[in-house]
């Protein structure tokens, strides 16, 4: 190897460490997006909290009442949103990465499809932020060393 160049070949341990780091950051960024969503909408929905806790939205008639339309809309922006499941997904991804478990490739691709579709439907929105953990998950999968059969096992 000459001065100023580096080998493009990575050892399996280095690839696994890079994949682990990328996956952990994907999970952390997913948690951050969920927490950011909650923080953003908590301030905007404060006026409806009393209605939600008092049961003003219970029953079909209450949900169809035009007087409850704003409260119902705000419900889907905060407690009924995907913020809490997104936080839980991020925490699960971090834990799986820390314990050495591989995140399935379909998680990154499905998350990418959901983020792109929702971002296309509703713009401006925060959905493009989801491209960061998506890209990290997909890069982590590419960085993970492929399982190669042990030569002694095949002989």
């Amino acid at each position: 190897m000459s001065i100023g160049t580096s080998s493009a070949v990575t050892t399996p341990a280095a690839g696994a460490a890079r994949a682990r780091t990328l996956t952990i950051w994907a999970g952390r960024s997913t948690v951050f997006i969920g927490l950011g969503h909650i923080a953003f909408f908590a301030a905007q929905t404060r006026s409806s909290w009393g209605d939600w806790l008092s049961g003003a939205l219970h029953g079909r008639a209450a949900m169809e009442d035009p007087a409850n339309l704003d409260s119902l809309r705000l419900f889907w922006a905060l407690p009924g949103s995907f913020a809490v499941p997104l936080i839980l997904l991020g925490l699960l991804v971090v834990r799986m990465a820390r314990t050495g478990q591989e995140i399935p490739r379909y998680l990154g691709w499905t998350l990418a499809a959901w983020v792109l579709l929702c971002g296309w439907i509703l713009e401006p929105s925060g959905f493009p932020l989801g491209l960061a953990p998506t890209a990290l998950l997909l890069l982590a999968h590419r960085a993970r060393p492929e399982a190669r059969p042990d030569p002694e096992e095949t002989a």
Side-chain angles (χ1 to χ4, degrees):
M1 178 172 20
S2 63
I3 297 175
T5 63
S6 64
S7 174
V9 178
T10 59
T11 63
R18 184 174 192 293
R20 179 180 183 266
T21 300
L22 290 169
T23 304
I24 287 172
W25 278 106
R28 287 177 178 169
S29 61
T30 303
V31 169
F32 178 74
I33 291 168
L35 290 173
H37 180 89
I38 289 172
F40 179 80
F41 283 105
Q44 293 186 359
T45 61
R46 184 160 292 188
S47 62
S48 296
W49 292 3
D51 291 342
W52 301 337
L53 297 175
S54 70
L57 297 180
H58 288 196
R60 178 176 283 257
M63 288 192 300
E64 292 174 354
D65 184 356
N68 290 334
L69 186 60
D70 196 44
S71 181
L72 186 61
R73 179 184 61 84
L74 292 174
F75 169 81
W76 290 112
L78 187 63
S81 72
F82 279 99
V84 172
L86 198 60
I87 293 167
L88 294 173
L89 174 65
L91 293 172
L92 180 64
V93 166
V94 169
R95 180 164 189 224
M96 288 179 70
R98 286 185 176 159
T99 59
Q101 298 175 21
E102 186 174 347
I103 307 300
R105 187 184 313 196
Y106 66 79
L107 180 67
W109 286 112
T110 304
L111 189 60
W114 178 66
V115 163
L116 291 171
L117 176 66
C118 291
W120 179 73
I121 292 171
L122 182 66
E123 192 55 45
S125 72
F127 279 105
L129 293 174
L131 294 174
T134 297
L136 290 170
L137 285 172
L138 296 174
L139 287 171
H141 191 26
R142 289 189 70 184
R144 186 171 301 282
E146 293 185 30
R148 294 186 180 94
D150 187 4
E152 292 182 14
E153 290 179 8
T154 56

